[in-house]
Amino acid sequence: MGQSVSGSDGVPELSVEEQLESLGGEVTVESFARRLSKAGKKSVVIICGAGISVSAGIPDFRTPGTGLYDNLRKYDLPTPESIFMLEYFREHPLPFFQLAKEMYPGNFAPTPTHAFIRLLQDKGLLRRCFTQNIDTLERAAGVNPSLLVEAHGSFGEAHCLDCKGAHDSKWVREEIFADRVPVRCPQCGGLVKPDIIFFGEPLPKRFKMLFTGELPEAQFLVVMGSSLRVEPFASTINQVSHRCPRLLINRELVGIRDRSGHGFRFNAYDNYRDVALLADCDSAVRALAERLGWLEDLEALIQVQVEAHVASQKDGSELRNATEDVKTETLPTTFLTRSWRRHFLPDLPKLHHLQDESTFPPAEFDGPGTVICMKNRSGCIQQLDGGESLEV
């Protein structure tokens, strides 16, 4: 075995040879895609947050000016978080039901990022998708519920807070859209709430079980559109094997290594497996799909999803899963491919090579469109991002 890398931060030591098994010494999106294209069945775990649904018209929580918490001011809440607090809901349920009407499944179509998750499933690679989202767009995209872990619950089920009786989600939806709110339990008169996890409520047992049971089995981890701020969901990235390559798809770097040694090691001298693709999620998954040779399949799924949503809006029905039996390999590519190429890959990136992080960023570093590469002490070539969109 070769020289071991320090484990003084509490993280198990790996030899240089063991580190090179992750991405072969080239810590780049290109290398991640190359390895993923050869992955075995059930090898990919997805971690996703609100950022994957923004292009569907659903705001994320924390973006200043457009985030959900900023938009909740119209409800005159004590704090933005109050709308998701059980005690406040019991006393003042109407603001939540008004918000639920705006966010309810059926109002929105899955995004290209949801289609990418579905594509991983169709290719037999998806082991599990852990989602923080309550919009059920993963289900609408055709992801099998057995592969989903809805960590913060969803609108898919509902229960009475008092008698704990289960209620049909379609009936709850009808009550909300008919403005018969707050929704009351026909049996006991208690408040009926969709099974969305409020602050202070325990996470679903399914999350707790698979958090420790499934994540260590992942061979690839892809984190998309999450701020990684809310525990215990934020700790999912630390549950995978120390040989598992990890890809972050997000507008900004998050989940950076803390003093305990846990977290992503972007831009660090000892990074051997963590790659960041900084862009909006939809552009990023298209870039990744192209490197995987899957872009035509992805665009076909996107087109089917768009058509399904348009059809559902015409007849006034709830968004249906029209992609269930689609054979993606037989569908034609669409104009979306060409328009995306013009938008996302206008020029080849400039490359800078650094021997250590003491010179980062270089004087000639010029923001978006630049890729910086650096060798770490294990001999890995690491790709460092310097702008809003990372060229691959």
Side-chain angles (χ1 to χ4, degrees):
M1 298 295 287
Q3 178 184 1
S4 292
V5 176
S6 172
S8 61
D9 57 7
V11 176
E13 294 185 2
L14 294 179
S15 69
V16 171
E17 287 84 355
E18 288 172 326
Q19 289 192 12
L20 292 176
E21 290 177 8
S22 293
L23 289 175
E26 184 185 344
V27 191
T28 63
V29 175
E30 184 75 37
S31 177
F32 188 96
R34 190 162 53 245
R35 295 276 173 135
L36 182 57
S37 68
K38 301 174 183 178
K41 299 292 185 182
K42 302 287 185 180
S43 57
V44 181
V45 170
I46 297 289
I47 305 293
C48 55
I52 74 169
S53 297
V54 170
S55 66
I58 302 173
D60 63 11
F61 282 83
R62 293 178 173 84
T63 300
T66 61
L68 180 62
Y69 284 156
D70 269 7
N71 293 333
L72 290 176
R73 293 176 181 175
K74 60 185 177 182
Y75 297 119
D76 194 26
L77 303 169
T79 67
E81 294 84 358
S82 297
I83 203 165
F84 296 116
M85 290 182 175
L86 206 54
E87 290 183 4
Y88 186 83
F89 175 73
R90 286 184 178 277
E91 296 294 327
H92 308 280
L94 290 182
F96 170 78
F97 284 113
Q98 291 168 349
L99 177 66
K101 187 175 181 179
E102 297 178 20
M103 297 182 63
Y104 227 93
N107 295 338
F108 305 96
T111 69
T113 306
H114 292 99
F116 181 77
I117 300 172
R118 164 68 189 270
L119 189 58
L120 286 171
Q121 171 189 276
D122 289 356
K123 292 184 177 295
L125 298 178
L126 184 63
R127 185 178 188 89
R128 203 72 62 182
C129 175
F130 289 80
T131 179
Q132 293 174 280
N133 300 335
I134 60 176
D135 52 39
T136 68
L137 287 182
E138 295 89 1
R139 298 189 189 199
V143 178
N144 191 317
S146 68
L147 298 179
L148 286 174
V149 180
E150 293 165 325
H152 294 165
S154 75
F155 285 99
E157 297 175 343
H159 286 80
C160 172
L161 291 181
D162 293 338
C163 72
K164 312 303 180 185
H167 293 278
D168 181 72
S169 61
K170 291 183 179 180
W171 172 76
V172 175
R173 185 181 190 276
E174 290 171 359
E175 293 295 293
I176 291 174
F177 275 77
D179 293 324
R180 292 189 289 268
V181 292
V183 180
R184 295 286 181 179
C185 175
Q187 279 71 43
C188 73
L191 284 170
V192 174
K193 180 178 77 68
D195 287 356
I196 296 165
I197 304 300
F198 278 20
F199 290 110
E201 288 188 293
L203 295 184
K205 293 181 180 179
R206 178 176 170 80
F207 172 80
K208 296 178 181 179
M209 178 180 67
L210 296 178
F211 179 82
T212 55
E214 286 279 286
L215 284 166
E217 302 299 320
Q219 297 176 38
F220 295 87
L221 180 72
V222 181
V223 180
M224 302 190 291
S226 174
S227 66
L228 294 179
R229 293 183 184 179
V230 180
E231 292 288 1
F233 198 89
S235 297
T236 52
I237 64 172
N238 302 317
Q239 298 301 311
V240 297
S241 156
H242 291 281
R243 300 185 188 188
C244 174
R246 303 184 296 190
L247 172 65
L248 172 70
I249 293 176
N250 206 40
R251 287 189 176 275
E252 60 185 7
L253 295 178
V254 296
I256 304 300
R257 179 168 55 176
D258 57 26
R259 292 182 179 180
S260 71
H262 295 106
F264 291 123
R265 300 186 181 190
F266 305 126
N267 303 357
Y269 70 94
D270 56 353
N271 182 22
Y272 62 93
R273 60 163 176 165
D274 293 335
V275 182
L277 180 53
L278 300 189
D280 70 272
C281 291
D282 295 343
S283 296
V285 296
R286 283 179 164 126
L288 182 58
E290 183 180 49
R291 286 295 181 263
L292 290 163
W294 301 350
L295 191 55
E296 185 171 333
D297 290 345
L298 177 62
E299 297 295 353
L301 268 180
I302 293 169
Q303 186 68 16
V304 171
Q305 288 180 171
V306 170
E307 292 172 356
H309 184 66
V310 170
S312 72
Q313 297 305 299
K314 284 182 178 178
D315 63 17
S317 66
E318 192 171 348
L319 178 62
R320 63 181 183 272
N321 176 20
T323 63
E324 190 171 47
D325 298 316
V326 173
K327 303 298 184 183
T328 57
E329 62 270 19
T330 64
L331 292 170
T333 188
T334 70
F335 72 92
L336 294 172
T337 305
R338 297 189 295 275
S339 63
W340 164 74
R341 288 176 188 275
R342 290 196 299 270
H343 169 72
F344 196 63
L345 294 176
D347 300 294
L348 291 175
K350 302 173 184 178
L351 296 177
H352 301 278
H353 294 273
L354 306 178
Q355 293 304 312
D356 58 63
E357 56 188 342
S358 63
T359 56
F360 178 78
E364 66 270 29
F365 179 68
D366 56 3
T370 300
V371 172
I372 297 178
C373 294
M374 179 184 76
K375 282 189 177 181
N376 68 18
R377 65 175 175 175
S378 299
C380 296
I381 299 174
Q382 182 184 354
Q383 184 170 283
L384 310 180
D385 176 62
E388 204 169 275
S389 59
L390 175 64
E391 303 284 0
V392 295

